[in-house]
C-alpha cells in the first residue's frame, strides 16, 4: 500500500456525515444509529477528492524529480564525460550550488500537503468524537459476547460462533473485510482503558499476531505498533493474574526496544514475582466477563438472541394459530391482516404485512431529520445509557395524512383508542452499531415514572412495527416467555403490558437483541390505560 492509499484509509476512519447542520448527528453519537454512520460517506467523498488532488500534485512532482534524477544519473554513468568541457563543468557547479538546493527546498511539496491539511481542517469539526470510537469498539465487544463470536474470526471478517469444537457461521458476508493490527489494537485499548481485561486480552492478542506478521512495514494510517500492542497486552495479563505471560511478552518487547527502562523494570518485577511463587509459572488466570449493567437474566437473554428468532418447536403447539384478522371491524373487511399468534401468556401476536414498503420508507424519511439519542426513564429523569443504543424521533399525526391512516389501522386491529392522550405519538427508532435494548418493561414500574405525566395511566399495550429487514440479529426476545421473534419487515408485533387488573405483567420483560448485520428500524405505538375502559374492561382477577 502506497503513502496515498494509507492516508486515504486514515481519512476514511475519521470521516463523518455532514449536510444540513440541523440533520447532522451530535458529536459522540454517530455510532448510536446506522443512519448517522451512513452519513459518514458524504464527507469521506470530500476527503477522497482532496486526497485525489493531492496525489495528482505529488505524482507530477515525483515525475519531475525522476526526470532530474535520470538526467544527473546519466551524466555519472557516462565514464567519458569530461569535466574539462566548460559547459559540463558549469552545469556541475550550478547543480551543486543551485539546482540541488531548489530540489530539496521545493515549495511544491509543502503546498500540496498544505492544501490537503486545509481541506481536512474544514471537515474536522464534523468528524466523530473519541466517544464514537469507544462506542463502536464496545459494540464489537457486545456482539462478541451476545453471539459468542470468535475474535480471530471477526478479525478475518468472519462471523462465527465457536463453542468447544463446534463452529457455526452466523452470517456469511458477500465480501470479506478483515481488520488490521491497528484496528484490533484500538478495540483492545478501549477495553484496556476501562479495566476490562476479559475483552482487552483477546483483541490485543490478535493485534500482536497481526503486527508480528507485518513487522517492518510502516503504514501511515496506523497509530499503534507491535511494541504498543505487546506493552498493553503484557500489562493486561499481569492485571489478570497471569505473570508468566506478562513476563514473556515483556521480554519480547525488549527485543524490539532494548533501551526501554520501564519495560526492563517490569521484567525484573515479573521475574521476582515468579521466583517467589513458582506455581505462577503454570497458573492460568480465569478472567470473569464483566456484567455491567448487572443482569440476572443475561444468560437467558443472550441464549434467546443466539437463536436469531428461530424456534421451530413453537409451531408444534396446537393452541397457537394463524388467521386473517378483521376484528369484526368494517375497516378491515375488504383487506384483513394476516395474524400469527406467537404466545398466549403473555399474549403476543405478529401481524404480517401491516405496512407497505412505501409506508415504511415514508415513516423512516419523516423521522430521520429528528433522530436523537434514545433515553430511558430513571426515576423522574431520562438518561442516555449503554444498555440502549439507538436514536429515536417522535412523529405527530399532523406530519402526514399517512400517519392518520396508520393510526386508524392500529385502532381497527386492536380495538383500542389510539388518539392522544390515550396513546403516545409514534416513536421511530433506528439502531446503531450493534444496536440493542437490554431486558426492560415498556410499562412503568415506578409511580414516579415520566410516563404518568400524560395523565392517561400506564402503558397497557405495545404495538411495534418493523420498518426494515436485517441480515442477522436484532430479534425481539421475551425473557420469561422464553421466545424470540425475528425482524420481519413490514410486520407488527402486539402484546399486552398490563393485566386487566391494571397490574404490570412481569412476563412481558423483553429485549431488542443486538443487530449483528443490517440497519434496523422500528416504530412503536404505546397505548395507555385511560380511554380503554369499555374497550378492554377491567377485572379483579390477577389471572386476566
Amino acid at each position: 500500500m502506497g503513502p496515498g492509499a494509507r492516508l486515504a484509509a486514515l481519512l476514511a476512519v475519521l470521516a463523518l456525515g455532514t449536510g444540513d447542520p440541523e440533520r447532522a448527528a451530535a458529536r459522540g453519537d454517530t455510532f448510536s444509529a446506522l443512519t448517522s454512520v451512513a452519513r459518514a460517506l458524504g464527507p469521506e467523498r470530500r476527503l477522497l477528492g482532496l486526497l485525489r488532488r493531492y496525489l495528482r500534485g505529488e505524482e507530477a512532482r515525483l515525475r519531475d524529480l525522476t526526470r532530474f534524477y535520470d538526467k544527473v544519473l546519466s551524466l555519472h554513468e557516462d565514464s567519458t564525460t569530461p569535466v574539462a568541457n566548460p559547459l559540463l563543468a558549469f552545469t556541475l557547479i550550478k547543480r551543486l550550488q543551485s539546482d540541488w538546493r531548489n530540489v530539496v527546498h521545493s515549495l511544491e511539496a509543502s503546498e500540496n500537503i498544505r492544501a490537503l491539511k486545509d481541506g481536512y481542517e474544514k471537515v474536522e469539526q464534523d468528524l466523530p468524537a473519541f466517544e464514537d470510537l469507544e462506542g463502536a469498539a464496545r459494540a464489537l465487544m457486545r456482539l462478541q459476547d451476545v453471539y459468542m463470536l470468535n475474535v480471530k474470526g471477526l478479525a478475518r471478517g468472519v462471523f462465527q460462533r465457536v463453542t468447544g469444537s463446534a463452529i457455526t457461521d452466523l452470517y456469511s458476508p458477500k465480501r470479506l473485510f478483515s481488520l488490521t493490527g491497528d484496528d484490533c489494537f484500538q478495540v483492545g485499548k478501549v477495553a484496556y482503558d476501562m479495566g476490562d481485561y476479559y475483552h482487552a486480552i483477546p483483541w490485543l492478542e490478535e493485534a500482536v499476531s497481526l503486527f508480528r506478521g507485518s513487522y517492518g512495514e510502516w503504514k501511515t494510517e496506523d497509530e499503534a505498533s507491535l511494541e504498543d500492542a505487546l506493552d498493553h497486552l503484557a500489562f493486561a495479563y499481569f492485571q489478570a493474574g497471569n505473570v508468566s505471560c506478562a513476563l514473556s511478552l515483556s521480554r519480547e518487547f525488549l527485543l524490539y526496544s532494548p533501551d526501554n527502562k520501564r519495560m526492563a523494570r517490569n521484567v525484573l518485577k515479573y521475574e521476582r514475582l515468579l521466583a517467589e511463587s513458582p506455581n505462577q509459572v503454570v497458573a492460568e488466570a480465569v478472567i470473569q466477563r464483566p456484567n455491567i449493567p448487572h443482569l440476572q437474566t443475561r444468560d437467558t437473554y443472550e441464549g434467546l438472541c443466539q437463536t436469531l428468532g428461530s424456534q421451530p418447536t413453537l409451531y408444534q403447539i396446537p393452541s397457537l394459530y394463524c388467521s386473517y384478522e378483521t376484528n369484526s371491524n368494517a375497516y378491515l373487511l375488504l383487506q384483513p391482516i394476516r395474524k400469527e399468534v406467537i404466545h398466549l401468556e403473555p399474549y403476543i401476536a405478529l401481524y404480517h404485512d401491516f405496512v407497505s414498503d412505501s409506508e415504511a420508507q415514508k415513516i423512516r424519511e419523516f423521522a430521520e431529520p429528528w433522530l436523537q439519542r434514545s433515553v430511558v426513564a430513571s426515576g423522574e429523569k431520562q438518561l442516555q445509557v449503554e444498555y440502549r443504543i439507538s436514536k429515536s424521533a417522535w412523529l405527530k399525526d399532523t406530519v402526514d395524512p399517512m400517519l392518520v391512516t396508520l393510526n386508524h389501522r392500529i385502532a381497527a386491529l386492536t380495538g383500542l383508542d389510539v388518539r392522544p392522550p390515550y396513546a403516545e405519538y409514534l416513536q421511530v427508532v433506528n439502531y446503531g452499531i450493534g444496536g440493542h435494548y437490554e431486558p426492560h418493561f415498556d410499562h412503568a414500574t415506578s409511580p414516579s415514572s415520566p410516563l404518568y405525566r400524560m395523565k392517561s395511566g400506564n402503558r397497557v399495550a405495545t404495538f411495534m412495527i418493523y420498518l426494515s429487514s436485517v441480515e442477522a440479529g436484532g430479534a425481539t426476545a421475551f425473557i420469561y416467555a422464553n421466545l424470540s421473534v425475528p425482524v420481519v419487515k413490514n410486520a407488527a408485533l402486539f402484546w399486552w403490558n398490563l393485566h386487566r387488573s391494571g397490574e404490570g405483567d412481569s412476563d412481558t420483560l423483553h429485549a431488542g437483541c443486538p443487530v449483528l448485520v443490517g440497519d434496523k428500524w422500528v416504530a412503536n405505538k404505546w397505548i395507555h390505560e385511560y380511554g380503554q375502559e369499555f374497550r378492554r374492561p377491567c377485572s379483579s382477577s390477577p389471572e386476566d
Side-chain angles (χ1 to χ4, degrees):
M1 182 185 287
R6 294 172 190 146
L7 187 54
L10 172 62
L11 298 178
V13 171
L14 294 175
L16 169 69
T18 56
D20 186 342
E22 294 182 359
R23 296 174 61 111
R27 284 175 60 84
D29 271 348
T30 304
F31 73 96
S32 62
L34 255 292
T35 186
S36 300
V37 178
R39 283 202 291 268
L41 296 173
E44 184 173 48
R45 293 191 190 97
R46 289 167 53 196
L47 291 171
L48 284 173
L50 291 168
L51 187 58
R52 182 175 60 250
R53 288 193 291 274
Y54 168 76
L55 290 174
R56 287 175 177 171
E58 286 296 283
E59 287 167 357
R61 187 175 69 87
L62 290 175
R63 282 196 300 270
D64 191 53
L65 285 176
T66 302
R67 174 199 56 76
F68 176 77
Y69 172 83
D70 290 341
K71 180 184 78 170
V72 177
L73 181 63
S74 66
L75 295 175
H76 282 260
E77 288 178 340
D78 187 356
S79 58
T80 62
T81 301
V83 292
N85 184 320
L87 297 176
L88 293 174
F90 168 79
T91 57
L92 171 62
I93 298 298
K94 176 180 176 291
R95 285 199 306 274
L96 294 175
Q97 199 281 325
S98 173
D99 294 3
W100 278 103
R101 183 178 67 248
N102 292 337
V103 166
V104 171
H105 296 288
S106 169
L107 293 177
E108 191 174 358
S110 58
E111 288 171 356
N112 287 341
I113 194 64
R114 184 68 258 169
L116 179 64
K117 289 180 177 178
D118 287 345
Y120 176 82
E121 288 170 2
K122 292 178 182 178
V123 181
E124 192 171 14
Q125 63 181 353
D126 296 324
L127 299 181
F130 182 69
E131 290 80 3
D132 287 306
L133 178 61
E134 290 182 314
R138 287 195 299 268
L140 292 182
M141 296 178 226
R142 183 184 314 123
L143 296 174
Q144 168 194 346
D145 290 340
V146 173
Y147 296 108
M148 299 176 68
L149 297 176
N150 177 265
V151 170
K152 191 170 287 292
L154 279 175
R156 298 197 315 270
V158 177
F159 296 80
Q160 290 181 330
R161 180 192 303 147
V162 179
T163 50
S165 59
I167 298 178
T168 306
D169 285 322
L170 298 183
Y171 170 71
S172 299
K174 296 178 181 177
R175 176 186 174 189
L176 290 180
F177 180 83
S178 58
L179 300 179
T180 66
D182 191 65
D183 295 333
C184 294
F185 175 81
Q186 294 298 339
V187 178
K189 188 174 184 298
V190 168
Y192 176 95
D193 289 342
M194 295 189 298
D196 174 8
Y197 304 113
Y198 174 88
H199 291 105
I201 287 175
W203 284 101
L204 291 173
E205 285 273 20
E206 191 59 26
V208 166
S209 176
L210 291 170
F211 277 130
R212 282 173 180 153
S214 61
Y215 189 75
E217 298 177 12
W218 172 250
K219 295 180 180 177
T220 305
E221 71 272 22
D222 283 358
E223 184 175 319
S225 64
L226 175 58
E227 290 90 328
D228 293 320
L230 288 168
D231 188 4
H232 285 76
L233 182 58
F235 191 72
Y237 266 123
F238 170 69
Q239 289 293 93
N242 195 329
V243 182
S244 180
C245 277
L247 175 60
S248 175
L249 292 162
S250 299
R251 284 172 172 168
E252 182 180 352
F253 178 99
L254 289 176
L255 294 177
Y256 301 105
S257 185
D259 297 328
N260 191 297
K261 295 180 180 179
R262 177 180 58 83
M263 191 59 72
R265 289 194 300 270
N266 285 350
V267 167
L268 293 175
K269 174 183 176 180
Y270 299 152
E271 288 175 340
R272 185 179 69 254
L273 289 172
L274 290 175
E276 294 170 354
S277 303
N279 291 336
Q280 283 279 6
V281 177
V282 294
E284 289 188 9
V286 178
I287 310 171
Q288 295 295 325
R289 173 187 160 190
N291 187 11
I292 303 173
H294 182 73
L295 275 180
Q296 294 180 339
T297 59
R298 186 175 296 281
D299 290 344
T300 303
Y301 156 58
E302 293 182 353
L304 289 170
C305 290
Q306 289 162 18
T307 68
L308 302 178
S310 174
Q311 291 119 141
T313 55
L314 287 177
Y315 305 109
Q316 300 170 10
I317 302 174
S319 56
L320 303 180
Y321 62 92
C322 296
S323 66
Y324 280 96
E325 183 65 60
T326 64
N327 201 25
S328 302
N329 190 297
Y331 189 88
L332 298 174
L333 285 177
L334 294 179
Q335 193 172 5
I337 304 291
R338 288 190 297 145
K339 174 182 177 181
E340 178 184 351
V341 177
I342 292 176
H343 206 266
L344 295 178
E345 293 181 5
Y347 178 83
I348 305 170
L350 185 68
Y351 296 99
H352 293 265
D353 297 317
F354 179 76
V355 294
S356 65
D357 285 341
S358 61
E359 287 174 327
Q361 181 178 346
K362 275 189 175 181
I363 294 171
R364 296 195 303 267
E365 290 173 352
F366 291 149
E368 186 173 356
W370 308 101
L371 289 173
Q372 294 183 347
R373 179 71 182 268
S374 297
V375 296
V376 300
S378 177
E380 297 182 0
K381 298 180 179 180
Q382 293 187 320
L383 305 174
Q384 295 180 5
V385 290
E386 181 64 20
Y387 60 82
R388 187 183 189 188
I389 301 297
S390 63
K391 287 186 178 180
S392 54
W394 298 87
L395 298 182
K396 294 184 178 181
D397 302 349
T398 52
V399 169
D400 190 88
M402 184 267 289
L403 296 179
V404 177
T405 303
L406 187 70
N407 277 339
H408 288 163
R409 198 179 306 157
I410 295 173
L413 195 57
T414 62
L416 300 174
D417 191 339
V418 300
R419 297 172 299 171
Y422 308 126
E424 298 172 40
Y425 295 125
L426 192 70
Q427 186 200 51
V428 182
V429 182
N430 180 219
Y431 288 79
I433 304 171
H436 71 142
Y437 194 174
E438 289 189 347
H440 63 282
F441 294 107
D442 280 357
H443 62 274
T445 56
S446 167
S448 62
S449 170
L451 289 179
Y452 289 113
R453 293 175 188 167
M454 289 182 65
K455 307 296 184 183
S456 56
N458 210 339
R459 288 172 173 170
V460 68
T462 295
F463 198 91
M464 183 175 73
I465 308 166
Y466 293 115
L467 300 175
S468 67
S469 59
V470 297
E471 295 176 75
T476 304
F478 289 85
I479 311 305
Y480 297 133
N482 197 33
L483 69 94
S484 63
V485 183
V487 175
V488 180
K489 186 182 180 185
N490 298 342
L493 200 60
F494 174 83
W495 67 88
W496 298 106
N497 294 307
L498 306 181
H499 292 293
R500 287 182 181 271
S501 64
E503 294 296 319
D505 186 347
S506 60
D507 286 342
T508 62
L509 184 72
H510 63 286
C513 295
V515 179
L516 185 58
V517 182
D519 188 9
K520 181 183 176 184
W521 289 78
V522 301
N524 297 306
K525 191 72 173 180
W526 283 302
I527 306 162
H528 284 238
E529 293 175 278
Y530 298 178
Q532 321 305 337
E533 294 85 350
F534 300 104
R535 298 168 185 267
R536 191 191 190 227
C538 296
S539 170
S540 59
S541 172
E543 305 298 324
D544 294 340

